[in-house]
Amino acid sequence: MTSFGVFAYRIRYTAIMNKLQTLEDYFGHKTFRPLQEEVVDAILNREDVLMILPTGGGKSLCYQLPTLLMEGVTIVVSPLLALMHDQVVALRANGISAAMLSSMQDMEESRKIESALHKGEIKLLYVAPERLTNAYFLNMLHQLNINFFVIDEAHCVSEWGHEFRENYRRLSLLKEQFATTPIAAFTATATKAVEEDIASNLGLVDPKRVRGSLFRENLMIGAHHRIKDGRQQLLEFLKSHKGESGIIYTLSRKSTEAVAHFLQGKGIEAKAYHAGLPTEEKNATYADFVADRVQIVVATIAFGMGIDKSNIRFVVHMTLPKTLENFYQEIGRAGRDGLEAETLLLFSAQDIVQQKSFIEDLPETPYKQHAFNKLDSMVRFANSENCRHQSIAAYFDDRIAVCHDKCDNCSAPESEKVDITTASRMMLSAILRTGQKFGLHYIVDVLKGSREQRLLQNGHDTLSVYGIGDEYTKAQWLTIGDKLLELGAVSIGEFKVYTLTEFGVEVMKGVHAIDLKKERLTVKTAPVKKKVTYFDDYDVEMYDKLRTLRTEIASEKGIPPYIVFSDKTLKDLSVKVPQSKEEMLEVHGIGEVKFERYGEAFLRVLQHDV
Ligand code: ADP
């Protein structure tokens, strides 16, 4: 080994030894979560990284921790000011020197940050992507000792994602200008196609690819057909979430206000949030929500992107989102602290018509067909009786087992299902016998014995399957067709032609039994049910006292309560009731830095001194 090699080895060895200590001291965690260490190591080895991990999986730590073990500054590109701001506040609360440069800072402030950067006093610098196209800024970067670049929300690079941003496309200049500086890209959602797009657009060099499971086991996911305007279903749902933080998404500005007003009338603390409100009002609502001063925000999708509030306990969609990416990202805002959270999707056929008409209005580009396909996947998901977690994972090319009890479909009692094996076999047989050349409506016509001209001309009234489908209405047969599509027993080709898959052939031969949720055939919707329990073994009184203290400290310091301690930390404190510093350091989320800041005050409450 050359002397430089020995030196590099030593640094690496020390870094590895220091990893766990840093994890504990700065972040208050005793162990890494799955995949975190792999990414931390790759970054310390100066490799490019592409990590896909669901919201709440702990991506930030993957680049923040190695930064603390490196000499220079890490540049983090992030799409949203609010997101950057929250991250900077959280880092500073953990004793880590971080800053952001954005249009929000005045000259004086920017100059101070610049000077601190030159002195090596800043470990993490957050910037918006457009800053990287600024020649002055780039020039300054060339004078700094940069550890690596972080591209947060990296799916924005891809046109095939759901949030393409032109400014992200230009990030390709990073590898052109800083060829030897590694890049670590992070996102919560990326299909394989988007993943490839990220890697090629950023010019990543043989990146370490780390894809986490999309299974969010603390999320209870449910979807129901909306009855009328869905408000009764909403009230029913909120009964099991009294006093908890949540977001309710609606489609239009008007409906955010109407739903907020409706809830206020029922004595529930809710505020509307949409792009048309004055900025001060929006900021105030955002701040109130983050600080637990307002319980529920009823919002258009303008709200919540990048929100760093870990104790959101529920997310409701009053209408169908346009893509599964959007849906997954929006529900992902719930339960980031790892505690149980619940999501409810209410949808109806009208939503589909409305979403389709939005897409119709788009200019004729390949993107338009893409948007239709994405909507179809969303609709199939909403109607599906398969495991919700598994369906989402499959959409993102991830295979996971069924969740058993973390979604409405898996936890639905058997009695709510009807056996449609025979009907499925009839339908598949009709598809096969008509030569796999027709769409679903035609197949249903055959089963129902229609006298439609085309059908008669084709001689399909002579088939054995002709007119054998009396047991179900046309609408019910269409539902059965959807179910076969969801299960992958059939696939749709050009001109919406249905063909059998290998699995479909097996179903037709009677190898598999198929069942369907009863409500789909009867159209009547089952009431919203179930209750998630959490916090079952904690001291309620103590928890409330700790929460009060947390609110006091937060408002005194002007930071959101979860930055002081997360809900999970409070829960853990009220279960373990530590009586000393040592015991307190055993608690989730409390490290040396946090203890120094807030430990004594919380200990006093825990020791019943106050
Ligand atoms: P993401 O960016 O992937 O959405 P975050 O970085 O915001 O996720 O982390 C989500 C939550 O997980 C935070 O509350 C964070 O403190 C917690 N967390 C991260 N890493 C760990 C760990 N190793 N042990 C325990 N909690 C962790």
Side-chain angles (χ1 to χ4, degrees):
M1 215 181 276
T2 61
S3 64
F4 178 74
V6 172
F7 180 64
Y9 173 78
R10 255 196 222 134
I11 290 186
R12 211 168 293 154
Y13 180 74
T14 319
I16 290 164
M17 291 306 287
N18 287 341
K19 250 176 2 193
L20 286 171
Q21 198 58 47
T22 310
L23 180 67
E24 182 149 5
D25 288 351
Y26 284 92
F27 300 94
H29 306 313
K30 305 248 172 329
T31 51
F32 282 107
R33 286 214 183 134
L35 308 177
Q36 282 182 327
E37 194 168 10
E38 223 176 294
V39 171
V40 168
D41 287 347
I43 290 178
L44 290 173
N45 279 329
R46 301 191 55 78
E47 290 173 56
D48 283 346
V49 169
L50 173 43
M51 183 184 215
I52 300 161
L53 191 71
T55 311
K59 289 184 287 298
S60 354
L61 187 133
C62 294
Y63 62 83
Q64 291 167 355
L65 190 143
T67 296
L68 296 175
L69 299 172
M70 295 166 110
E71 294 270 305
V73 58
T74 297
I75 310 294
V76 186
V77 181
S78 176
L80 273 184
L81 290 182
L83 180 64
M84 291 192 235
H85 177 258
D86 290 349
Q87 291 269 6
V88 170
V89 171
L91 282 165
R92 288 185 181 162
N94 278 339
I96 300 166
S97 90
M100 66 188 268
L101 273 178
S102 77
S103 48
M104 276 165 74
Q105 274 92 20
D106 56 26
M107 288 281 276
E108 170 73 17
E109 230 174 310
S110 303
R111 219 172 286 139
K112 266 194 202 151
I113 294 172
E114 250 182 65
S115 135
L117 279 167
H118 284 297
K119 286 189 211 143
E121 289 169 358
I122 291 174
K123 294 303 298 174
L124 287 124
L125 178 71
Y126 285 77
V127 292
E130 47 273 27
R131 191 150 288 251
L132 288 163
T133 49
N134 173 316
Y136 175 80
F137 181 70
L138 281 173
N139 187 36
M140 182 190 77
L141 284 189
H142 279 291
Q143 295 162 35
L144 299 177
N145 174 13
I146 298 174
N147 302 322
F148 58 101
F149 289 102
V150 173
I151 313 296
D152 208 3
E153 312 286 348
H155 59 274
C156 296
V157 163
S158 171
E159 247 178 300
W160 301 117
H162 58 298
E163 279 168 348
F164 172 60
R165 283 167 188 251
E166 197 60 50
N167 285 320
Y168 261 67
R169 183 45 63 85
R170 303 209 194 101
L171 293 176
S172 54
L173 67 78
L174 286 179
K175 277 287 176 194
E176 289 157 21
Q177 297 222 7
F178 302 86
T180 57
T181 311
I183 294 182
F186 296 87
T187 177
T189 44
T191 56
K192 280 270 181 321
V194 173
E195 181 182 335
E196 288 319 314
D197 239 9
I198 296 172
S200 66
N201 284 329
L202 293 176
L204 302 184
V205 182
D206 190 17
K208 169 103 190 161
R209 293 176 193 241
V210 180
R211 200 179 242 276
S213 164
L214 287 140
F215 184 32
R216 293 276 317 270
E217 58 188 330
N218 61 323
L219 283 195
M220 178 77 185
I221 305 177
H224 292 271
H225 287 272
R226 193 171 59 241
I227 301 172
K228 293 188 191 146
D229 58 10
R231 291 185 187 176
Q232 284 313 315
Q233 289 163 296
L234 176 63
L235 282 184
E236 196 60 37
F237 176 86
L238 293 178
K239 270 188 196 162
S240 46
H241 293 283
K242 284 207 175 94
E244 296 176 353
S245 285
I247 306 177
I248 299 171
Y249 287 110
T250 67
L251 200 58
S252 68
R253 296 175 180 191
K254 222 165 84 187
S255 58
T256 61
E257 286 174 11
V259 173
H261 192 246
F262 166 76
L263 292 177
Q264 286 156 7
K266 299 283 174 192
I268 299 169
E269 212 184 283
K271 275 192 186 170
Y273 185 105
H274 59 74
L277 291 172
T279 309
E280 307 85 72
E281 191 175 335
K282 278 192 295 192
N283 291 348
T285 301
Y286 184 90
D288 284 348
F289 182 61
V290 170
D292 286 344
R293 288 190 294 266
V294 68
Q295 188 204 337
I296 295 172
V297 169
V298 188
T300 53
I301 48 163
F303 183 78
M305 186 183 173
I307 191 167
D308 193 11
K309 176 174 165 65
S310 67
N311 66 339
I312 296 175
R313 296 266 72 83
F314 62 88
V315 168
V316 178
H317 286 89
M318 297 298 286
T319 56
L320 193 81
K322 59 180 194 286
T323 69
L324 259 174
E325 279 101 331
N326 286 103
F327 176 72
Y328 184 68
Q329 198 158 63
E330 283 150 23
I331 63 168
R333 289 164 195 157
R336 290 180 74 151
D337 51 12
L339 295 176
E340 301 280 352
E342 189 174 12
T343 75
L344 172 69
L345 163 64
L346 297 175
F347 66 98
S348 78
Q350 298 148 25
D351 300 350
I352 305 167
V353 175
Q354 189 159 25
Q355 291 286 12
K356 282 206 166 131
S357 75
F358 290 151
I359 303 175
E360 288 294 355
D361 291 342
L362 295 174
E364 289 299 332
T365 61
Y367 185 77
K368 187 165 176 173
Q369 188 49 47
H370 201 59
F372 275 122
N373 294 344
K374 279 178 185 275
L375 178 60
D376 278 348
S377 302
M378 186 65 228
V379 173
R380 273 206 295 282
F381 169 83
N383 275 313
S384 167
E385 299 120 74
N386 305 330
C387 172
R388 304 273 182 206
H389 290 276
Q390 196 179 44
S391 307
I392 293 173
Y395 179 77
F396 290 108
D397 306 308
D398 185 16
R399 305 270 166 257
I400 61 168
V402 293
C403 71
H404 293 298
D405 58 356
K406 295 292 181 193
C407 76
D408 54 348
N409 288 337
C410 287
S411 55
E414 285 305 312
S415 60
E416 285 185 14
K417 297 197 171 169
V418 283
D419 187 335
I420 54 155
T421 310
T422 309
S424 304
R425 295 177 66 188
M426 286 179 185
M427 179 168 262
L428 292 167
S429 172
I431 295 171
L432 197 67
R433 280 164 205 277
T434 50
Q436 310 198 75
K437 290 190 201 127
F438 298 91
L440 187 60
H441 282 268
Y442 187 92
I443 301 299
V444 173
D445 280 347
V446 172
L447 290 166
K448 293 293 288 176
S450 154
R451 305 297 301 162
E452 206 244 334
Q453 196 63 25
R454 187 161 69 115
L455 191 155
L456 298 179
Q457 271 167 5
N458 289 334
H460 286 154
D461 56 333
T462 61
L463 295 175
S464 59
V465 287
Y466 180 74
I468 60 167
D470 265 355
E471 198 187 332
Y472 298 105
T473 63
K474 192 164 176 173
Q476 287 173 327
W477 275 115
L478 292 174
T479 304
I480 293 167
D482 285 348
K483 172 75 184 182
L484 293 177
L485 189 61
E486 288 157 19
L487 288 175
V490 289
S491 58
I492 309 182
E494 223 181 336
F495 307 118
K496 305 230 173 224
V497 164
Y498 274 53
T499 50
L500 267 63
T501 62
E502 226 168 277
F503 178 66
V505 173
E506 289 175 11
V507 173
M508 194 182 69
K509 289 182 179 162
V511 178
H512 306 282
I514 310 287
D515 54 22
L516 186 74
K517 233 202 260 169
K518 203 169 172 186
E519 67 174 74
R520 284 183 69 183
L521 286 183
T522 55
V523 181
K524 241 179 93 221
T525 309
V528 181
K529 43 152 188 61
K530 83 203 160 262
K531 171 63 203 131
V532 178
T533 50
Y534 58 97
F535 280 24
D536 34 17
D537 51 357
Y538 81 120
D539 177 342
V540 183
E541 221 175 289
M542 178 57 80
Y543 183 81
D544 281 346
K545 277 191 192 168
L546 297 174
R547 219 171 112 116
T548 309
L549 174 62
R550 178 177 68 169
T551 312
E552 282 168 16
I553 295 178
S555 61
E556 208 176 278
K557 298 201 179 290
I559 54 177
Y562 67 84
I563 297 274
V564 177
F565 283 142
S566 67
D567 279 12
K568 194 162 181 173
T569 301
L570 290 198
K571 181 201 167 186
D572 210 21
L573 280 171
S574 50
V575 172
K576 293 184 179 147
V577 197
Q579 297 292 306
S580 64
K581 177 179 172 182
E582 288 65 41
E583 285 177 13
M584 205 145 174
L585 290 175
E586 291 297 309
V587 169
H588 170 94
I590 305 185
E592 283 287 346
V593 176
K594 281 268 164 99
F595 182 83
E596 239 166 71
R597 297 207 171 150
Y598 317 117
E600 294 295 341
F602 278 86
L603 263 183
R604 274 202 294 283
V605 173
L606 291 157
Q607 291 164 343
H608 297 284
D609 282 356
V610 281

